């Protein structure tokens, strides 16, 4: 959180006070530091500069076009999982030739859009998907660049909902099936075999599972090469964790890069990475205001205007996010244990639990490390308009997404007429 600092008892993002942002744009509101985004991007670029590497920002993590544009201008590629994400990348000025397309359920329409845009690679996850892509590419008179996503069956030691590289997960193809599939793909004239891919999970805080999985890929690469199947790139996915709380110890990017150098040192293929969280998590906070305090036994609740629809991670994964008070007024105030909860009618609607704080009605809170999978996973549950997003650059503020209006929430809905004549 180095770009979020306390100055004269007020939390600032770069050189802007969060109190000013709340006054101008209202709450709840996501606030990002542009310097933090650039800092994280630079860290990756520095760590990998000696290797032939393409860093593909994983769009799902935070897909605001201002953020995509930031990475596009720094030369990044993109990891997408839908036609919607492809459209965003192109609208943001991203280069289609640096786009890899992941996901187990690409539709024919999405394949067509990606083929027409001329993406770098389709990461295929099943034989059936390979057949569908081959047919689609043939129909369009194109050759689709492909890799297979391998499921290396390693345990990334993270939350079960975000583990993806175990045999029981829906992702990728088993190692033992890979060679026959590559052989089959090689024979298809509308496919061009260019790479190999993996992604073992997210919020990974240990390098060991990466090493184990990457070694399995190298063994497979040797087998393929002996069979005359030479690849252009190896994509090792995303997943590097961040520090949500003090006892999280995610690996340094430089150490991760050193591991990659060691494993792939004898290889000639380009290395592709698909980081997401590590690039944007610490660049963002969710700014929210306390509506009411409800002290009591056995729990005390601080009811804020932000809710699980704005930041779903605590409800979905019991994720822990730091809570910062934006203004410190009286340090001698009595503290107590608070649950920070939203107005939604669900007991899972909490942003934080059991925080020892001295809180006041009306004060502002910043929910930290919220730049990743925050806004991107937000919804309109309870007919709550999605919040606005602002990006701060030094002392400038850019509103990069306006707060939704209530009217827009149901503008696409229709009441059926009483007469049945116009029904379709
Ligand atoms: N590549 C692929 C194929 C992915 O599925 C993902 C994330 C990434 C890259 C980026 O992973 P990262 O570097 O951000 O860990 N909503 C969950 C995380 C879901 C991860 C989905 N896949 C959360 O809030 O923790």
């Amino acid at each position: 959180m180095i770009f979020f600092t306390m100055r004269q008892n007020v939390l600032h993002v770069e050189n802007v006070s969060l109190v000013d942002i709340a006054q101008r744009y209202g709450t709840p509101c996501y606030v990002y530091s542009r310097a933090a985004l650039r800092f994280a991007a630079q860290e990756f670029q520095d760590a990998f500069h000696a290797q032939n590497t393409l860093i593909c920002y994983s769009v799902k993590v935070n897909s605001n076009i201002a953020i995509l544009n930031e990475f596009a201008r720094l030369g990044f590629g993109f990891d997408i999982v839908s036609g919607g994400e492809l459209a965003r990348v192109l609208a943001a000025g991203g280069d289609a030739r640096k786009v890899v397309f992941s996901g187990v359920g690409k539709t024919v329409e999405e394949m067509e859009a990606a083929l027409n845009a001329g993406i770098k690679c389709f990461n295929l996850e099943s034989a059936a998907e390979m057949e569908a892509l081959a047919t689609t590419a043939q129909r369009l008179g194109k050759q689709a660049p492909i890799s297979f996503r391998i499921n290396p069956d390693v345990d990334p030691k993270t939350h079960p909902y975000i583990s993806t590289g175990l045999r029981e997960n829906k992702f990728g193809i088993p190692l033992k099936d890979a060679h026959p599939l590559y052989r089959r793909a090689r024979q298809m004239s509308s496919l061009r075999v260019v790479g190999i891919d993996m992604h073992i999970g997210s919020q990974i805080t240990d390098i060991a599972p990466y090493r184990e999985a990457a070694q399995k890929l190298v063994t497979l690469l040797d087998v393929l090469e002996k069979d005359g199947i030479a690849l252009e790139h190896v994509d090792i996915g995303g997943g590097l964790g961040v520090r949500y709380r003090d006892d999280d110890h995610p690996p340094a990017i430089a150490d991760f890069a050193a591991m990659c150098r060691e494993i792939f040192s004898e290889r000639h293929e380009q290395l592709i990475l698909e980081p997401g969280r590590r690039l944007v998590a610490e660049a963002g906070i969710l700014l929210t205001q306390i509506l009411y305090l409800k002290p009591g036994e056995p729990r005390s609740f601080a009811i804020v205007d932000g809710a699980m629809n704005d930041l779903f991670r605590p409800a979905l994964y019991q994720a822990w996010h730091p809570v910062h008070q934006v203004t410190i007024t009286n340090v001698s105030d009595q503290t107590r244990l608070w649950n920070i909860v939203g107005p939604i009618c669900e007991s899972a609607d909490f942003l934080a639990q059991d925080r020892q704080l001295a809180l006041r009605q009306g004060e502002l809170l910043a929910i930290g490390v919220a730049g990743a999978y925050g806004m991107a996973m937000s919804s309109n549950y309870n007919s709550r308009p999605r919040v606005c997003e602002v990006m701060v650059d030094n002392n400038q503020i850019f509103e990069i997404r306006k707060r939704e209006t209530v009217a827009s929430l149901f503008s696409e809905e229709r009441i059926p007429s009483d007469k049945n004549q116009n029904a379709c």
Side-chain angles (χ1 to χ4, degrees), residues 58 60-61 79 162 199 202 239 274 276-277 313 317 373 377:
S58 188
K60 66 172 77 72
V61 182
D79 159 53
I162 53 177
H199 171 75
S202 196
E274 301 172 359
R277 189 190 311 265
R313 303 193 70 258
Y317 314 112
Y373 304 106
M377 290 173 74

Side-chain angles (χ1 to χ4, degrees), residues 169 181 408:
N169 300 134
L181 268 180
S408 74

Side-chain angles (χ1 to χ4, degrees), residues 53-54 56 100 120 233-237 270-274:
T53 308
L54 176 65
C56 293
V100 296
K120 182 175 175 70
H233 70 246
V234 180
D235 181 342
I236 59 166
Q270 179 187 43
L271 182 66
I272 296 183
L273 313 174
E274 301 172 359

